[in-house]
């Protein structure tokens, strides 16, 4: 793969073979973010589990202390008092049958997070083939199917992110913007890793955090020493 001049120059800022402490890795990652826009910083964490087994799935959600730096658009499936509460909490769009029809009939998808009251899931289930592949289907595990829709909206706006294993046993998550600086990014990174470590399946054996890389949108990946992330539970 050929890389652009800026990428090649950024790659010279660090040793690709070195495993860095998280704070040092994030400082280097910020330095590699040389694009004209505020690049997103992402963490890519490979776990020592097998996603093919139901008892080794790792999935959840966590509110990053410094947010994601992104304006989150929230759609809520709710009626009555739940709908009023969602609107008061700042949801961009709230609806029930009308919202389902808008998504099905018009292909409307101008939202980043979908939240549903539990009594709406029979209705929302019709959207599984549309929302599922995009990672937008409300889920109890992610806290997006909840009787407290107002709190879910508040959390989403505050920087709540969902993490889940892909088919290669890697979790990919945004942890903020380059403009945050290394300290805020490190706080977000540590919060994410602690949540992933707490979600370790009982059936997982051997080293849990196998590898960890952080990168800016347009930059090269900086490797983090797995032994230096979270707590000692990472290695258990």
């Amino acid at each position: 793969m050929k890389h652009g001049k800026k990428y090649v120059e950024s790659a010279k800022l660090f040793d690709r073979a070195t495993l860095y402490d998280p704070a040092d890795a994030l400082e280097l990652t910020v330095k590699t973010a040389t694009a004209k826009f505020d690049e997103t910083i992402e963490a890519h964490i490979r776990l020592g589990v097998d996603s093919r087994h139901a008892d080794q799935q790792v999935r959840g959600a966590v509110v990053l202390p410094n947010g994601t730096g992104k304006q989150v658009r929230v759609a809520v499936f709710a009626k009555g008092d739940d709908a009023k509460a969602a609107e008061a909490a700042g949801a961009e769009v709230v609806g029930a049958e009308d919202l389902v029809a808008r998504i099905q009939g018009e292909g409307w998808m101008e939202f980043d997070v979908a939240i549903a009251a539990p009594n709406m899931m029979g209705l929302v289930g019709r959207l599984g083939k549309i929302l599922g592949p995009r990672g937008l289907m409300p889920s109890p595990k992610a806290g997006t199917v909840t009787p407290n829709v107002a709190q879910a909206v508040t959390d989403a706006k505050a920087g709540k992110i969902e993490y889940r294993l892909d088919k290669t046993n890697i979790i990919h998550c945004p942890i903020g913007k380059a403009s945050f600086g290394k300290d805020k990014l490190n706080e977000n990174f540590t919060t994410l890793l602690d949540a992933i470590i707490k979600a370790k399946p009982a059936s997982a054996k051997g080293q849990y955090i196998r590898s960890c890389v952080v990168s800016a949108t347009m930059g090269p990946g900086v490797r983090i020493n797995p032994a230096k992330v979270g707590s000692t539970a990472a290695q258990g």
Side-chain angles (χ1 to χ4, degrees):
M1 182 184 292
K2 284 194 173 183
H3 294 293
K5 184 178 178 181
K6 286 186 177 181
Y7 183 102
V8 172
E9 289 300 314
S10 293
K12 294 177 182 177
L13 294 174
F14 62 95
D15 182 354
R16 299 293 290 271
T18 297
L19 297 177
Y20 293 92
D21 286 350
D24 294 335
L26 288 164
E27 183 175 17
L28 287 166
T29 303
V30 169
K31 289 180 179 178
T32 70
T34 57
K36 292 181 180 179
F37 62 93
D38 193 5
E39 295 184 51
T40 296
I41 307 300
E42 295 186 346
H44 309 275
I45 302 124
R46 180 169 163 262
L47 301 182
V49 297
D50 188 342
S51 61
R52 294 174 297 178
H53 299 292
D55 63 349
Q56 292 193 35
Q57 290 292 329
V58 179
R59 180 180 180 183
V62 62
V63 178
L64 300 180
N66 299 299
T68 62
K70 179 182 179 181
Q71 293 285 68
V72 179
R73 301 167 298 174
V74 180
V76 178
F77 297 90
K79 289 182 177 180
D81 289 343
D82 286 336
K84 292 176 183 176
E87 288 174 352
E92 275 71 19
V93 61
V94 181
E97 287 87 356
D98 56 330
L99 182 53
V100 171
R102 189 177 179 188
I103 293 170
Q104 281 185 321
E106 301 173 23
W108 183 80
M109 294 294 296
E110 294 179 24
F111 54 93
D112 306 298
V113 176
I115 293 166
N119 61 1
M120 289 285 102
M121 285 310 293
L123 188 64
V124 178
R126 302 174 192 173
L127 300 175
K129 290 183 179 179
I130 300 172
L131 300 183
R134 294 173 172 83
L136 291 170
M137 190 67 182
S139 158
K141 285 187 177 180
T144 46
V145 175
T146 172
N148 192 345
V149 291
Q151 185 61 52
V153 172
T154 300
D155 287 346
K157 295 283 187 179
K160 186 174 186 177
I161 60 168
E162 185 178 354
Y163 58 86
R164 64 167 77 184
L165 278 181
D166 67 9
K167 291 181 180 178
T168 60
N169 304 317
I170 298 174
I171 289 174
H172 307 273
C173 276
I175 55 171
K177 297 288 186 178
S179 60
F180 283 18
K182 69 167 185 176
D183 292 337
K184 286 186 176 181
L185 287 169
N186 195 31
E187 285 179 9
N188 281 357
F189 175 77
T190 300
T191 299
L192 171 64
L193 262 293
D194 284 347
I196 291 172
I197 289 167
K198 287 177 183 175
K200 179 182 179 182
S203 57
K205 305 298 181 184
Q207 184 175 342
Y208 182 49
I209 306 291
R210 291 287 178 87
S211 66
C212 185
V213 174
V214 287
S215 64
T217 304
M218 306 295 289
V222 182
R223 299 170 69 200
I224 289 177
N225 187 343
K228 297 292 181 72
V229 301
S231 66
T232 53
Q235 301 305 309

